Each structure stands twice: as structure tokens, then as C-alpha cells.
Amino acid sequence: MAEDETERTRPRLPLPLPSNVIALQSTDRREKLRIVEALLFAAAEPLDETALASHFVPGEDVKVLLEELQALYAGRGVNLVRVAGKWAFRTAEDLSFLLEKQAVEQRRLSRAALETLAIIAYHQPVTRAEIEEIRGVSTSKGTIDVLLETGWIKMRGRRRAPGRPVTYGTTEAFLTHFGFDSIQDLPGVNELKGAGLLDSNLPPGFSMPSPDDAPDLREDEDPLEDNPQQEEPLGDKDDEAGGGEPT
Amino acid sequence: MAEDETERTRPRLPLPLPSNVIALQSTDRREKLRIVEALLFAAAEPLDETALASHFVPGEDVKVLLEELQALYAGRGVNLVRVAGKWAFRTAEDLSFLLEKQAVEQRRLSRAALETLAIIAYHQPVTRAEIEEIRGVSTSKGTIDVLLETGWIKMRGRRRAPGRPVTYGTTEAFLTHFGFDSIQDLPGVNELKGAGLLDSNLPPGFSMPSPDDAPDLREDEDPLEDNPQQEEPLGDKDDEAGGGEPT
Amino acid sequence: MSDHETSADNDPAGRGDASAWEQNVRLDLDDRERLVVDVEGFEGPLDLLLALARTQKVDLAKISVLALAQQYLDFISEARRLRLEIAADYLVMAAWLAFLKSKLLLPAEPSEAGEPTGAELAALLAFRLKRLHAMREASAQLMNRKRLGRDVFARGLPEPIRIVRKSTYDANVYDLLKAYSQQRARTAVRSMRMRQRTVWSLKEAREELERLLGMTVDWAPLDRILAEFLVEPELRRTALASSFTATLEMTREGKLEIRQTKSFAPLFVRWRERAA
């Protein structure tokens, strides 16, 4: 597995240089490489070839030196990379996790997010417009983003309807977090009344759906595109909100 | 000539490792070296072995990895060095001529300040009166302030003696700046000690103290007050200067 | 060696380089005027003594304290002759050296207990000079080190540790269900209001009565006529209330006749035009 990673992250060069290359270099060439190495290391910003060349006699092929140095550092913990036409040492991409420190913040879901989550749970698959219709207020993009971040909801597909809005549903993580064995364990009207959460004199005809999180797409759902990011539905709020207006 | 210099600056290891060592390493070992390399390269400050070890499973011999990496970089434009008991990459000493442009303008220290710095380094923990006794002249408050500003010295505590004078010592920044692994590496420290010249009091021939920058207070030191500013000892110059007069 | 020269430049006093420094002093001694002027440059009597000791051109370990004391005293008297101001501590040192000199020259008297002998005092002075000299050398060596940010360099572009903020969200079932219940109840109230449209308006009641009464010819109890609307309790009240009002209105218009045998007895209505 480690093998795979090293191979995968090895920079552009097709083949690693044989390890005895340095030994074969002339002392002079080695000195030049040392100089380029030290200059790039100490520089406070990426250096271009002109800046590096100023430390050598005119005509020195700095580019070749750079490429040799790059090859030397290929597959190492630090790589020599070109950024914006200049050269700099950078931590190897696959090791970037070393430079990250996780700061976990415990946050509470906003009221709007809780409501939206509950509606998605009971009414899934449900579009944003439908959520807004049920809630009676518009739902900000941020609210759904936060819910997606929790991992408790997911985009399921697209409703086969004008605008092809994304449908949302709950995930397995939702069940796990809230301790439900299945989505059918969400309490119904009578249980909510019994728990004192719903007023007992609700208007007649008040109904709650029986939730269903089966992953199969419904008849009126299409699959999400291969690349949902490109046609990110959350951005075009206006289009979707149109569908959610009271009719 | 360049060859000679490289040899001279090659770190402690008795023999350069054969150039095919990397090729023989297991992928696992190579990954470990990459990690140590990346961490040290990225760090703004020297890292100690504990900090590095925190990225490995317990029991990993980080010191061996460091020594291997040090050998790998010996003779290169960038070397792995030990400073202040920690590890850091530094440009090779012989390449300083290249990097003059990078050199940050450093405040010029007066002769009095330089002498005072040396006395603090070699005689620490040392009081201002003792510094004056060695120099045979009173030391202005400004001199010590300038040194405190460099970050190379600090107030350590108070001597358990009449007047409870502040004791001074060097900092980790001192070791880092002057490239010492520990305060015992001060040039000529053993000779000076042998000649009895590190004794701030007289006469020679008694047991000689060594410079000691260990933060733990000595037997004859008390901690500084919580707010040393309030009882700033540098103000009451007259009291202390008395100790510096020729006897 | 080149490093050495560089550092001498950096060291403003130039004391790091022993030979150059000595040269300076010798120059000073050759020209008394300049030496005296240069007294300003000395950092105290010990510094001056060390400078004078250098002129003996011997190892500090073998220095003649007696000769040094004499040199110092000569220097001070020369300065006085030139009416130069001399700081007090230089004079204190001169007095002490004069005392030392006499102690060294005179045969050792049986001294009081604990009082140091001339030789001991001389050794003390020699020690202090050596120690100061050693510290000067040390400071020069220190400044000649390969120093960070001057000779050797750390990574110019350190890569900082990124703090990856990861939020974990907390919500419990109770909060979730409460939020759902409350918002559903809230919107349910709204939809009940919409249902009020099915409440009979006066106009609707009239139309319904006209239709229903059209099918009867004789007196009929109002609640029987409306029977089909009175099953649903929700509708019963509004149907009765609106129909009653409509009945009164239509009676006033002369279209209907109403009859009631006693209070709270069933209300009978009939179509007036038919009766006529």
C-alpha cells in the first residue's frame, strides 16, 4: 500500500534516476547543484531561472541544473516544483496531511437546519422547493450545505420536473447518529402527540408521510449527473425557489 | 577545493553512506524518511525528536531516521543540523557567500554588549554585579536592554543574596542563532573551565562551574516575581554597581 | 581566514583581531596626545590595564604586575599633566595600584590575619585581566560563528501548519422531532385558515336554500332540509348559522315563510311563492 502511494505521487519523471547519479557527477557539477539547492531553500519566494542564473557565469544552463535537482528530489518528502514559472521546494503532495492540524469544533445545528433535516427525513425524496413549501419560508443554500456537511443528508437524484431540481434524502449516518434502526422508526403523528410534541387538536386532514429512505430512485426521479459539482443545483437558488412559491 | 570544503562541512558521521543505501531501503523506511524530511523542511523552527516522533507509532526510533537523513544531506547545499537540542535544515555553511542578499540586517552590537553577551553565556546564571566585576566597569542598563531585545538573553531568576539581584542566562534563540546544539558547545568552554576562568569569584583552583542554561533554578536562585517589571532591578543601578568597583 | 576579516569589520571595536588591536595601542603609545584622547575609548580601568598589558608583548600569564602598575600610574600622571579629566574609577584604580606597588616592593610585613599579601593581590589582578581577555576572545569567537540569518539560512518559505477546522454537529432526536412537530403545527394552523373557504357564506347559504327549497312544497324543518350538510360537525355550525341568517333575510324579502311553535322548537320554512 505504501508502495502504491510512492509510485502514484512520484512526480512527472518517467523513471527515477539511478541512485548513483550523484557519484558520477563531476565535483563542479555537484557544486552547482548545491548552489541551486541552497538558493532555492533560503529564498523567501519562488525564484525564476534568471534570478538563479545571476549566481553563475553567463551561459550556464540553469534549467538543466533545475531539472536535475528536480529529479533528485522526485519521490522525496520535499519536491522541487515550478509554480507560475518559478521554482520552489514544496512538501510532497501526498504528505500534505503532515501540515494539517485538525481542529474539531462541536457545533449545534440551527433551528432552520433542524427543521429542514426533519422534513428531509419524513418527506424524502424531497426537493428544496418542496422543503420551502412545507416550511412556509425559503431555505438558504447554507442550511442545506451545513446538512450535507454533517453527512446526514445526501443528494439522491433529480426530480423529473421542470428545472430538474435535486432531491434530498437521509443517509445511513443519519440513522446511526439519531439511533434509528430504520427510517420507519421515525415516530408518527400519534407518537408525537403522545410525546406531547404535537398538539392534540390539530386540524383534520393533518397528515405525516411514512418516511422511506430506500436508495432506489423513484419513478419521478432521475439519477444525478456524473459530475454534480458542475451543475451544482444549490447555486441557482432563484430558479428553484420559483417552484417553491405558493400556488 | 570545493571537494575539500564539502568534506570539511560534512556532519559528524564518520563515513558517508554508500550512495546505494536508498535503493536498498525498504519502501516503508523510505516513507518514514520522507515524512521526517517533509516535517523538517516545512517547519519554521527547529523540531525536537518528540515532536517528530508524534507522527509515528510509539517506539519508532526517530533518532536513527534523523541520522540517516543527516547523512543523506551531508555535502549537499542544504544540511540537517542539530541546534539547541533540536533538528533543522540549514544552508551549508560554506555557501554563505551566496546568500548575502538574503541576510537580514542585524543590529550592530556595541563592544560592551558583545562582551556582556559572552560573559552571560559563559558565566550564566550571572548577575549584573558579577558582569561588572568581570568587565571592571559598570554596565549601563541600555546594554542589557539591547541584549534582552535580541532575544538571546533572558532574566532567569534572582540570586538568593542581599538585594536579590536578577540572574541572567541565554535563551534557546541564542543557541539557534549561533548554531550550538547545547551551551556546553561554547567555543573553548573546557579550556576556560580548566584555566579557572569561568569562576566569577576568586581565586582560581577551586571547583569550576560550567555555564548552565538549564531553566531550573540553581540552589542560590529564586524565581523572578510574577511581574518582574514591577521590581525592575536594572533601575537601581547604584546599588548593584557597587559590586563592580575594583577591590 | 576570510571569515575572520569579515567579522573584524562587523565588530565595531575591531578587538576581535588581536594584532590589529595591538597595533592601535602601540600607535597610541607612540603619540601620547592621541593616547590620552583615546582614553575615552577605554571601557574602564581594567580595559586600560589590559591595553597596557598588551604592550608588554608577553603572554598574559607571565605579565609583570609591577611593571603594569607602573605603566598605569605613568599613564594617569601624564593625563593629569595634560589636565585631562579622568573619571573617578580610573583614579580609584590608580590609588589601588599605588598601594599594590608599595606592597610588592616592600618586604612582606607580618600582615594582619586575613589580609592578602602583595603577591596575592597581584595574582588577583592578573587573574581578572586574563578573565576579561578570555571573555573578549570568546565574544569574538561567538560573533565569528556561522550565524543564522547571516551565514546560514533556514527555509525561506516555511510551510505553515494549516488548521483544518472540522465541525462536528450535534443534534439529538428530541430536538429533531420537536423542530418537525412545531413547524408542522405552525403551518397546519395556516392551512386551517384556508379551509375556512368551505365555511358557508351568506350568499352560498342562500343559493343552497333556494336549491333545496325548490324541491319541497310544504313546511319543512330547516335542519331536515340541510341534513346532508349537518353530518360533518365542522360544517354543521356554519351551515346552520349561515342558513338561518339567509332564511331570515329571504323571509324579510318575502320569498320565504318561517314558523316556530315555541322557543328552541324546530324551525319550519316554506317557499312563499309556492304557497301563494
Side-chain angles (χ1 to χ4, degrees):
Chain A
M1 201 220 113
E3 183 75 58
D4 286 348
E5 276 190 1
T6 349
E7 289 307 322
R8 182 165 53 72
T9 56
R10 195 186 291 281
R12 277 134 271 188
L13 281 169
L15 279 172
L17 280 166
S19 58
N20 58 348
V21 161
I22 300 180
L24 292 177
Q25 284 159 358
S26 74
T27 316
D28 180 46
R29 181 140 201 89
R30 185 168 150 177
E31 271 311 287
K32 286 176 185 168
L33 283 179
R34 291 182 75 227
I35 286 170
V36 174
E37 189 179 32
L39 286 169
L40 286 168
F41 175 84
E45 51 192 30
L47 296 179
D48 61 20
E49 283 154 31
T50 318
L52 289 164
S54 70
H55 292 271
F56 293 96
V57 291
E60 180 67 45
D61 193 343
V62 177
K63 199 169 168 59
V64 168
L65 288 172
L66 283 162
E67 278 163 5
E68 194 166 334
L69 201 61
Q70 190 176 47
L72 209 67
Y73 274 93
R76 299 275 293 275
V78 174
N79 302 148
L80 182 54
V81 297
R82 265 186 82 111
V83 277
K86 300 183 176 187
W87 295 80
F89 282 115
R90 286 274 188 279
T91 304
E93 272 182 33
D94 64 313
L95 296 179
S96 63
F97 70 90
L98 291 172
L99 306 179
E100 285 175 1
K101 201 172 165 185
Q102 303 278 343
V104 179
E105 283 176 315
Q106 183 88 339
R107 292 171 65 179
R108 287 181 66 88
L109 280 186
S110 69
R111 166 110 204 156
L114 269 178
E115 276 182 27
T116 306
L117 176 62
I119 290 167
I120 292 172
Y122 276 98
H123 298 258
Q124 63 189 308
V126 64
T127 67
R128 180 159 153 198
E130 288 157 0
I131 295 167
E132 290 179 336
E133 197 184 343
I134 294 167
R135 288 190 66 214
V137 287
S138 64
T139 299
S140 78
K141 179 181 183 307
T143 303
I144 292 207
D145 283 350
V146 162
L147 289 175
L148 285 168
E149 201 187 322
T150 62
W152 296 334
I153 69 161
K154 64 180 178 202
M155 298 192 251
R156 291 173 47 98
R158 287 184 181 276
R159 177 67 42 78
R160 204 170 293 158
R164 305 187 67 241
V166 165
T167 52
Y168 296 94
T170 52
T171 61
E172 215 175 286
F174 172 83
L175 296 178
T176 312
H177 181 88
F178 291 99
F180 293 117
D181 192 21
S182 89
I183 200 75
Q184 279 79 33
D185 292 348
L186 275 172
V189 180
N190 290 332
E191 289 162 283
L192 290 179
K193 278 183 184 169
L197 288 168
L198 269 181
D199 199 351
S200 50
N201 49 21
L202 281 166
F206 179 88
S207 70
M208 280 170 47
S210 43
D212 177 11
D213 62 356
D216 320 296
L217 293 176
R218 301 277 179 93
E219 266 185 19
D220 61 352
E221 276 182 300
D222 280 335
L224 285 166
E225 285 72 16
D226 286 342
N227 192 350
Q229 270 72 26
Q230 279 195 335
E231 298 193 43
E232 177 52 65
L234 300 174
D236 47 347
K237 150 112 198 65
D238 294 338
D239 294 0
E240 272 196 59
E245 277 168 22
T247 44
Chain B
M1 190 223 123
E3 185 70 62
D4 286 347
E5 278 191 357
T6 347
E7 289 306 321
R8 185 167 52 74
T9 56
R10 196 185 291 281
R12 269 137 273 191
L13 280 172
L15 280 172
L17 282 164
S19 58
N20 59 348
V21 160
I22 301 179
L24 293 177
Q25 284 160 358
S26 73
T27 316
D28 181 47
R29 179 143 200 90
R30 186 165 149 182
E31 273 310 288
K32 287 176 185 167
L33 282 179
R34 290 182 76 228
I35 287 171
V36 174
E37 186 180 35
L39 287 168
L40 287 167
F41 234 82
E45 300 288 335
L47 296 178
D48 63 19
E49 282 157 31
T50 315
L52 291 165
S54 71
H55 293 269
F56 293 96
V57 292
E60 180 67 47
D61 194 343
V62 178
K63 199 170 169 59
V64 168
L65 290 171
L66 283 161
E67 279 163 4
E68 195 166 334
L69 202 61
Q70 190 176 49
L72 210 66
Y73 274 92
R76 297 273 292 274
V78 174
N79 302 147
L80 182 55
V81 300
R82 270 189 75 111
V83 280
K86 302 178 178 187
W87 295 81
F89 277 113
R90 295 281 188 258
T91 55
E93 291 187 356
D94 64 311
L95 296 178
S96 65
F97 69 94
L98 275 178
L99 299 159
E100 277 163 8
K101 274 185 235 165
Q102 256 94 343
V104 277
E105 191 57 46
Q106 277 165 3
R107 183 168 182 169
R108 279 196 167 185
L109 290 180
S110 68
R111 182 178 155 212
L114 290 176
E115 253 175 52
T116 304
L117 176 63
I119 291 167
I120 291 172
Y122 284 79
H123 292 262
Q124 63 186 308
V126 65
T127 66
R128 181 160 154 197
E130 287 157 1
I131 295 166
E132 292 177 334
E133 202 270 332
I134 293 168
R135 295 192 61 227
V137 70
S138 63
T139 298
S140 78
K141 179 178 185 311
T143 303
I144 292 208
D145 283 351
V146 162
L147 288 175
L148 284 169
E149 229 171 87
T150 61
W152 296 336
I153 70 159
K154 63 176 180 211
M155 298 194 250
R156 291 174 45 97
R158 287 183 181 276
R159 177 67 44 79
R160 204 169 294 160
R164 305 188 65 242
V166 165
T167 51
Y168 296 92
T170 53
T171 61
E172 197 175 298
F174 170 85
L175 296 177
T176 310
H177 180 83
F178 292 98
F180 295 117
D181 188 17
S182 98
I183 201 71
Q184 305 307 330
D185 295 343
L186 283 171
V189 73
N190 287 328
E191 293 83 334
L192 291 173
K193 194 174 159 186
L197 291 170
L198 292 190
D199 188 2
S200 19
N201 296 306
L202 302 172
F206 290 83
S207 78
M208 289 306 137
S210 295
D212 179 9
D213 62 355
D216 320 294
L217 296 176
R218 296 266 187 100
E219 265 185 20
D220 61 352
E221 277 181 302
D222 281 334
L224 287 165
E225 286 72 17
D226 287 342
N227 191 350
Q229 271 71 24
Q230 279 194 336
E231 296 193 45
E232 176 53 69
L234 300 174
D236 48 347
K237 148 121 203 59
D238 294 339
D239 294 357
E240 276 195 56
E245 275 168 22
T247 45
Chain C
M1 201 56 225
S2 62
D3 292 326
H4 219 84
E5 279 158 23
T6 326
S7 78
D9 286 343
N10 283 353
D11 179 358
R15 307 283 166 146
D17 192 306
S19 59
W21 182 67
E22 210 167 339
Q23 226 168 14
N24 268 341
V25 176
R26 232 181 293 128
L27 200 72
D28 292 343
L29 287 177
D30 289 343
D31 181 345
R32 283 290 160 130
E33 295 286 329
R34 260 198 78 198
L35 174 65
V36 171
V37 171
D38 269 14
V39 82
E40 302 280 313
F42 287 102
E43 300 233 355
L46 218 50
D47 188 28
L48 173 56
L49 271 171
L50 203 52
L52 294 170
R54 286 287 198 161
T55 66
Q56 291 192 7
K57 288 184 197 160
V58 288
D59 187 337
L60 268 181
K62 296 170 192 160
I63 196 171
S64 158
V65 171
L66 190 57
L68 187 61
Q70 192 55 55
Q71 273 178 288
Y72 186 95
L73 293 170
D74 290 348
F75 178 91
I76 294 297
S77 63
E78 184 65 11
R80 276 188 159 154
R81 193 184 63 79
L82 293 166
R83 296 176 186 281
L84 286 169
E85 269 196 49
I86 299 166
D89 47 351
Y90 287 85
L91 299 177
V92 171
M93 177 61 90
W96 187 80
L97 286 173
F99 164 73
L100 174 63
K101 188 179 142 194
S102 67
K103 266 212 152 190
L104 287 171
L105 289 175
L106 295 174
E109 289 172 22
S111 61
E112 287 168 40
E115 195 180 308
T117 64
E120 278 168 349
L121 289 176
L124 181 101
L125 179 64
F127 170 79
R128 291 189 65 189
L129 289 173
K130 266 194 287 183
R131 189 176 57 183
L132 178 59
H133 179 66
M135 284 302 109
R136 293 227 166 122
E137 301 266 284
S139 99
Q141 274 183 292
L142 215 48
M143 299 324 274
N144 281 344
R145 295 281 299 179
K146 297 290 185 185
R147 284 154 63 192
L148 181 63
R150 198 192 68 152
D151 308 297
V152 297
F153 295 85
R155 176 108 184 256
L157 269 172
E159 295 171 67
I161 302 289
R162 290 182 296 277
I163 306 289
V164 180
R165 293 202 183 280
K166 210 183 149 203
S167 300
T168 59
Y169 290 91
D170 192 26
N172 58 46
V173 183
Y174 180 77
D175 289 340
L176 181 76
L177 297 177
K178 195 170 125 191
Y180 183 69
S181 303
Q182 286 182 350
Q183 87 84 23
R184 285 302 310 273
R186 202 169 59 228
T187 48
V189 169
R190 188 191 64 160
S191 60
M192 200 163 72
R193 242 182 260 123
M194 294 175 62
R195 226 172 252 229
Q196 280 173 349
R197 267 190 229 153
T198 64
V199 163
W200 282 20
S201 68
L202 213 55
K203 187 164 169 269
E204 281 170 330
R206 270 186 82 129
E207 284 166 8
E208 210 53 48
L209 274 175
E210 278 171 16
R211 182 176 70 84
L212 293 168
L213 284 172
M215 295 188 283
T216 60
V217 285
D218 207 349
W219 290 101
L222 184 62
D223 47 2
R224 179 95 44 87
I225 297 167
L226 295 169
E228 61 172 298
F229 298 106
L230 303 184
V231 181
E232 267 189 70
E234 283 291 314
L235 208 53
R236 184 190 168 89
R237 191 173 290 192
T238 176
L240 271 178
S242 298
S243 312
F244 177 63
T245 315
T247 309
L248 291 177
E249 200 174 78
M250 287 162 79
T251 306
R252 188 170 51 82
E253 289 167 9
K255 289 180 179 169
L256 284 187
E257 284 180 314
I258 331 177
R259 176 180 96 177
Q260 188 177 32
T261 53
K262 56 177 181 179
S263 299
F264 299 108
L267 200 62
F268 288 83
V269 292
R270 73 171 180 186
W271 199 246
R272 190 172 184 172
E273 289 160 30
R274 291 284 169 91

Coordinates of all heavy atoms in Angstrom, one line a residue, chain B residues 113-142:
Chain B
A113 N 28.2 45.4 24.7 CA 27.1 44.4 24.6 C 27.7 43.1 24.2 O 27.3 42.1 24.8 CB 26.1 44.9 23.6
L114 N 28.6 43.0 23.3 CA 29.2 41.8 22.9 C 29.9 41.1 24.0 O 29.8 39.9 24.2 CB 30.2 42.0 21.7 CG 29.6 42.4 20.4 CD1 30.7 42.7 19.4 CD2 28.7 41.3 19.9
E115 N 30.7 41.9 24.8 CA 31.4 41.3 25.9 C 30.4 40.8 27.0 O 30.6 39.7 27.5 CB 32.2 42.5 26.6 CG 33.7 42.3 26.3 CD 34.4 43.5 26.9 OE1 34.3 43.9 28.1 OE2 35.2 44.1 26.1
T116 N 29.4 41.6 27.2 CA 28.4 41.3 28.2 C 27.7 40.0 27.8 O 27.5 39.1 28.6 CB 27.4 42.4 28.4 OG1 28.1 43.6 28.7 CG2 26.3 42.1 29.4
L117 N 27.4 39.8 26.5 CA 26.8 38.6 26.0 C 27.6 37.4 26.2 O 27.2 36.4 26.7 CB 26.5 38.8 24.5 CG 25.9 37.5 23.8 CD1 24.5 37.2 24.4 CD2 25.8 37.7 22.3
A118 N 28.9 37.6 25.9 CA 29.8 36.4 26.1 C 29.9 36.1 27.6 O 29.9 34.9 28.0 CB 31.2 36.8 25.6
I119 N 30.0 37.1 28.5 CA 30.0 36.8 29.9 C 28.8 36.1 30.4 O 28.9 35.2 31.1 CB 30.3 38.2 30.7 CG1 31.7 38.7 30.4 CG2 30.1 37.9 32.2 CD1 32.0 40.1 30.8
I120 N 27.6 36.6 29.9 CA 26.4 35.9 30.3 C 26.4 34.5 29.8 O 26.0 33.5 30.5 CB 25.2 36.7 29.8 CG1 25.0 38.0 30.5 CG2 23.9 35.8 29.9 CD1 24.0 38.9 29.9
A121 N 26.9 34.2 28.6 CA 26.9 32.9 28.0 C 27.7 32.0 28.8 O 27.4 30.9 29.2 CB 27.3 32.9 26.5
Y122 N 29.0 32.4 29.1 CA 29.9 31.6 29.8 C 29.8 31.5 31.3 O 30.2 30.5 31.9 CB 31.4 32.0 29.5 CG 31.8 31.7 28.0 CD1 31.4 32.4 27.0 CD2 32.6 30.5 27.8 CE1 31.8 32.1 25.7 CE2 33.0 30.2 26.5 CZ 32.6 31.0 25.5 OH 33.0 30.7 24.2
H123 N 29.2 32.5 31.9 CA 29.1 32.5 33.3 C 27.7 32.3 33.9 O 27.5 32.5 35.1 CB 29.7 33.9 33.8 CG 31.2 34.0 33.6 ND1 32.1 33.7 34.6 CD2 31.9 34.3 32.5 CE1 33.3 33.9 34.1 NE2 33.2 34.3 32.9
Q124 N 26.8 32.1 33.0 CA 25.4 32.0 33.5 C 25.2 30.9 34.5 O 25.9 29.9 34.4 CB 24.4 31.8 32.3 CG 24.6 30.5 31.5 CD 23.8 30.5 30.3 OE1 22.6 30.7 30.3 NE2 24.4 30.2 29.1
P125 N 24.3 31.1 35.4 CA 23.5 32.3 35.7 C 24.4 33.3 36.3 O 25.1 33.0 37.2 CB 22.4 31.8 36.6 CG 22.8 30.5 37.2 CD 23.9 30.0 36.3
V126 N 24.2 34.6 35.9 CA 25.1 35.6 36.3 C 24.3 36.9 36.6 O 23.4 37.2 35.9 CB 26.3 35.8 35.3 CG1 25.7 36.4 34.0 CG2 27.4 36.7 35.8
T127 N 24.7 37.6 37.6 CA 24.0 38.9 37.9 C 24.8 40.0 37.3 O 25.9 39.9 36.8 CB 24.0 39.2 39.5 OG1 25.3 39.4 39.9 CG2 23.4 38.0 40.2
R128 N 24.1 41.1 37.2 CA 24.7 42.3 36.6 C 26.0 42.7 37.4 O 27.0 43.1 36.8 CB 23.7 43.4 36.6 CG 24.2 44.7 36.0 CD 23.1 45.6 35.6 NE 23.5 46.9 35.6 CZ 22.6 47.9 35.6 NH1 21.3 47.7 35.6 NH2 23.0 49.2 35.5
A129 N 25.9 42.6 38.7 CA 27.1 43.0 39.5 C 28.3 42.1 39.1 O 29.4 42.6 39.1 CB 26.8 42.8 41.0
E130 N 28.0 40.8 38.9 CA 29.1 39.9 38.5 C 29.6 40.2 37.2 O 30.8 40.1 36.9 CB 28.6 38.4 38.6 CG 28.4 38.0 40.0 CD 27.4 36.8 40.1 OE1 26.9 36.4 39.1 OE2 27.1 36.4 41.3
I131 N 28.8 40.6 36.2 CA 29.2 41.0 34.9 C 30.1 42.2 35.0 O 31.2 42.3 34.4 CB 28.0 41.4 34.0 CG1 27.1 40.1 33.8 CG2 28.5 42.0 32.7 CD1 25.8 40.5 33.2
E132 N 29.7 43.1 35.9 CA 30.5 44.4 36.1 C 31.9 44.0 36.7 O 32.9 44.7 36.4 CB 29.7 45.4 36.9 CG 28.5 45.9 36.1 CD 27.6 46.9 36.9 OE1 27.7 46.8 38.2 OE2 27.0 47.7 36.3
E133 N 31.8 43.1 37.6 CA 33.1 42.7 38.3 C 34.1 42.1 37.3 O 35.2 42.4 37.3 CB 32.7 41.6 39.4 CG 33.8 41.5 40.5 CD 34.9 40.5 40.2 OE1 34.6 39.5 39.4 OE2 36.0 40.7 40.7
I134 N 33.5 41.3 36.3 CA 34.4 40.7 35.3 C 34.9 41.8 34.3 O 36.1 41.8 34.0 CB 33.6 39.6 34.5 CG1 33.4 38.5 35.5 CG2 34.5 39.2 33.3 CD1 32.4 37.4 34.9
R135 N 34.0 42.7 34.0 CA 34.4 43.7 33.0 C 35.2 44.9 33.7 O 35.8 45.6 33.0 CB 33.2 44.3 32.3 CG 32.5 43.3 31.4 CD 31.5 43.9 30.5 NE 32.1 44.8 29.6 CZ 31.7 46.1 29.3 NH1 30.6 46.6 29.9 NH2 32.3 46.9 28.5
G136 N 35.1 45.0 35.0 CA 35.8 46.1 35.7 C 35.2 47.4 35.4 O 35.9 48.4 35.5
V137 N 34.0 47.4 35.0 CA 33.3 48.7 34.7 C 31.8 48.5 34.8 O 31.3 47.4 34.7 CB 33.7 49.1 33.2 CG1 33.0 48.2 32.2 CG2 33.4 50.6 33.0
S138 N 31.2 49.6 35.1 CA 29.7 49.5 35.3 C 29.1 49.3 33.9 O 29.6 49.7 32.9 CB 29.1 50.7 36.0 OG 29.4 51.8 35.2
T139 N 28.0 48.5 33.9 CA 27.3 48.2 32.7 C 26.0 49.0 32.6 O 25.3 49.0 33.6 CB 27.0 46.7 32.7 OG1 28.2 46.0 32.7 CG2 26.2 46.3 31.4
S140 N 25.8 49.7 31.6 CA 24.6 50.5 31.5 C 23.4 49.7 31.3 O 23.5 48.6 30.8 CB 24.7 51.5 30.4 OG 24.4 50.9 29.2
K141 N 22.3 50.2 31.8 CA 21.0 49.5 31.7 C 20.7 49.2 30.2 O 20.2 48.2 29.8 CB 19.9 50.4 32.3 CG 18.5 49.8 32.2 CD 17.6 50.8 32.9 CE 16.1 50.2 32.9 NZ 15.7 49.7 31.6
G142 N 21.1 50.2 29.4 CA 20.8 50.1 28.0 C 21.5 48.8 27.3 O 20.9 48.2 26.5

